[in-house]
């Protein structure tokens, strides 16, 4: 997934929302990593395992906590959106848009429901603690409220059947772009 979708580059500023134990660091190059998760045990584990490889915060990601950090090149939200209702997703994406560097991107990965889905995959996804599992189209519609560029990929795992929707989101709506952020005289 790192090579295909995330494509983190050395020294990029990376925010991981809902980072869990920050296992993603095992496949990332040396980046400036900041992870947030509401689980104190997960954050303690991440701090012990990864030490100085990142900053880890056991708290909700809020506007105030975002404001204490410089903008990010890459923001990860893996396994998160299906735990949030539509309003919470919209608020989160709006907040993230304000802290994304020009040409930065957000990567999301969530279970999803599709027509003709493997019945075992559908059953497994229905058992998830996240109660806002959506169709790929519904995830994309939410992202397009805050971002001009939304790309998506449907991925199916066969060993334990599961269906994922991966999005690469960029170009916050209303944010300056490299072409239009200069003052004119």
């Amino acid at each position: 997934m790192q090579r295909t979708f995330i494509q983190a580059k050395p020294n990029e500023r990376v925010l991981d929302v809902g980072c869990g134990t920050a296992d993603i660091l095992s496949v990332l190059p040396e980046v400036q990593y900041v992870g947030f998760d509401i689980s104190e045990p997960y954050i303690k584990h991440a701090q012990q395992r990864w030490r100085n490889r990142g900053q880890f915060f056991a708290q909700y990601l809020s506007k105030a906590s975002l404001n204490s950090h410089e903008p990010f090149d890459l923001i990860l939200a893996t396994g998160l959106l299906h735990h949030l209702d539509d309003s919470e997703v919209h608020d989160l994406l709006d907040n993230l848009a304000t802290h994304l560097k020009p040409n930065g991107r957000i990567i999301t990965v969530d279970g999803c429901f599709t027509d003709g889905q493997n019945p075992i995959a559908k059953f497994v996804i229905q058992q998830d603690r996240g109660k806002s599992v959506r169709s790929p189209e519904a995830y994309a519609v939410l992202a397009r409220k805050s971002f001009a560029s939304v790309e998506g990929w449907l991925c199916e795992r066969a060993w334990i059947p599961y269906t994922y929707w991966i999005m690469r989101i960029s170009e916050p709506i209303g944010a300056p772009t490299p072409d239009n952020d200069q003052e004119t005289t």
Side-chain angles (χ1 to χ4, degrees), residues 54-70:
Q55 297 177 311
F56 308 95
F57 300 92
Q59 65 186 66
Y60 281 97
L61 182 70
S62 66
K63 283 183 183 183
S65 57
L66 270 175
N67 286 335
S68 67
H69 295 279
E70 295 294 319

Side-chain angles (χ1 to χ4, degrees), residues 28-176:
L28 294 181
E30 289 295 322
V31 296
Q32 298 173 45
Y33 181 91
V34 177
F36 278 82
D37 200 287
I38 60 172
S39 169
E40 287 188 32
Y42 285 171
I43 291 300
K44 284 180 182 175
H45 179 84
Q47 289 168 332
Q48 290 170 351
R49 180 175 180 194
W50 300 109
R51 306 212 181 270
N52 295 328
R53 184 100 192 268
Q55 297 177 311
F56 308 95
F57 300 92
Q59 65 186 66
Y60 281 97
L61 182 70
S62 66
K63 283 183 183 183
S65 57
L66 270 175
N67 286 335
S68 67
H69 295 279
E70 295 294 319
F72 295 92
D73 300 288
L74 170 62
I75 298 174
L76 303 173
T78 57
L80 177 65
L81 300 184
H82 72 280
H83 289 279
L84 307 175
D85 66 30
D86 289 359
S87 175
E88 291 168 322
V89 171
H90 180 70
D91 289 347
L92 173 67
L93 292 178
D94 272 356
N95 287 337
L96 296 179
T98 65
H99 283 76
L100 191 63
K101 285 184 178 181
N103 300 315
R105 70 256 182 233
I106 298 172
I107 304 295
T108 70
V109 181
D110 284 280
C112 66
F113 295 126
T114 62
D115 292 335
Q117 183 171 28
N118 179 311
I120 296 171
K122 184 174 185 173
F123 174 79
V124 170
I125 292 167
Q126 287 172 330
Q127 305 314 303
D128 193 285
R129 291 176 301 175
K131 298 305 175 199
S132 295
V133 176
R134 301 165 176 88
S135 69
E137 298 80 17
Y139 286 115
V141 164
L142 285 170
R144 286 188 186 107
K145 290 180 180 182
S146 302
F147 293 87
S149 178
V150 178
E151 303 171 86
W153 298 269
L154 189 63
C155 300
E156 296 181 301
R157 185 176 68 194
W159 183 68
I160 298 176
Y162 204 88
T163 309
Y164 294 96
W165 177 245
I166 300 172
M167 286 191 295
R168 182 181 302 131
I169 306 167
S170 59
E171 301 176 27
I173 294 173

